[in-house]
Amino acid sequence: MPYQVLIVEDQEMPRQLFEIWVKSDSRYRLTASISNAELAMEFCNHGGVDLILMDVLTELGSNGLDAAEAIKKRHPGVKIIVVTSMPESSWLRRAREIGVDSFWYKDAQQEPLLTVMERTMAGECVYPDDTPTVRIGFTDNHDFSERELDILRELISGDSNAEIGSRLGIAASTVKYHVQNMLEKTGMHTRTELAAVARSLGIAIK
C-alpha cells in the first residue's frame, strides 16, 4: 500500500511542485494539499495520513511547527518533514526538540525531497548540518552569534533596547552593544534597516 501524504504549503508554486513529485512516485498517494497548518490535525484525526510535508509559515499566520508539535503528541506515528526556504536557525532547533522527523530546505537542498521522504519513511531523521548561507550586507547569517540572532529577532518588534533587554534578561546597554556590532558587520546604517532586511531574508523571524 502506498504511503498517504498530506502537503501543507501556502505558496502555489512549491505546493504544485510537491504534488507533482508525490504523484510521480507509486510509493506515495496524495491525501490532500492544503494551505493552512491548523487544518492538518483534522486530517490526522480522521486517519489515512502517513507523512506530512509541512511548511512553517502558512496561510492566515498558522505556524507549521506549532501544528507539527500538536500532531506529534496526538499521532506520534505520523511522519513529518518540515519544508521551508527561510534560514531562521531557531526553527531547525525547535523541529528537533518537538520530534519532527526530517527537515528540508526548498532552495538549498542537499538531496531531492523524494529521497528525504524515502529515508524518513524508512525510519531515518534527515536534517541539514546547518541553515543555508544568506548574505546580509557585508556579511552572512552565520557570522552572527546566537545572542545577536536573539536580539535581531526582537528588533523586528520595533521595541526599545530596554524592552528587548527585559525580555531577554540582559541590560539595555548589552542590547545596544550587540546592535552596534551587527550594524558594523553588515554595513547597514540603522537598526530599522537591519531588522527589515533580516526579516525579508528570513534570517530572523519572530
Side-chain angles (χ1 to χ4, degrees), residues 16-116:
Q16 290 179 351
L17 188 58
F18 295 160
E19 291 171 3
I20 290 170
W21 288 343
V22 169
K23 292 175 181 178
S24 72
D25 194 314
S26 61
R27 293 171 296 181
Y28 306 103
R29 179 174 295 161
L30 183 63
T31 297
S33 185
I34 61 177
S35 57
N36 188 322
E38 290 184 2
L39 300 177
M41 179 66 83
E42 295 184 23
F43 284 91
C44 294
N45 289 342
H46 287 90
V49 176
D50 300 304
L51 172 65
I52 303 175
L53 304 181
M54 179 79 78
D55 194 10
V56 179
L57 300 179
T58 71
E59 194 176 68
L60 302 177
S62 179
N63 187 293
L65 288 173
D66 292 343
E69 183 174 18
I71 290 167
K72 276 296 184 181
K73 288 179 179 177
R74 185 175 294 184
H75 305 284
V78 174
K79 303 288 188 180
I80 301 176
I81 302 175
V82 165
V83 292
T84 183
S85 59
M86 302 291 189
E88 167 55 71
S89 60
S90 67
W91 293 352
L92 200 57
R93 291 195 302 272
R94 187 179 175 208
R96 290 184 185 275
E97 291 169 358
I98 64 179
V100 165
D101 299 275
S102 298
F103 201 106
W104 188 80
Y105 285 110
K106 300 174 190 174
D107 301 326
Q109 63 268 27
Q110 295 181 328
E111 56 186 313
L113 180 57
L114 282 172
T115 301
V116 175

Side-chain angles (χ1 to χ4, degrees), residues 130-134 139-145:
D130 206 342
T131 57
T133 299
V134 177
T139 188
D140 64 57
N141 53 318
H142 292 144
D143 192 40
F144 293 132
S145 67

Side-chain angles (χ1 to χ4, degrees), residues 181-200:
N181 275 350
M182 288 187 284
L183 289 174
E184 291 175 0
K185 286 178 182 180
T186 60
M188 294 184 184
H189 299 96
T190 67
R191 56 195 285 140
T192 301
E193 179 187 13
L194 174 64
V197 173
R199 176 65 176 82
S200 68

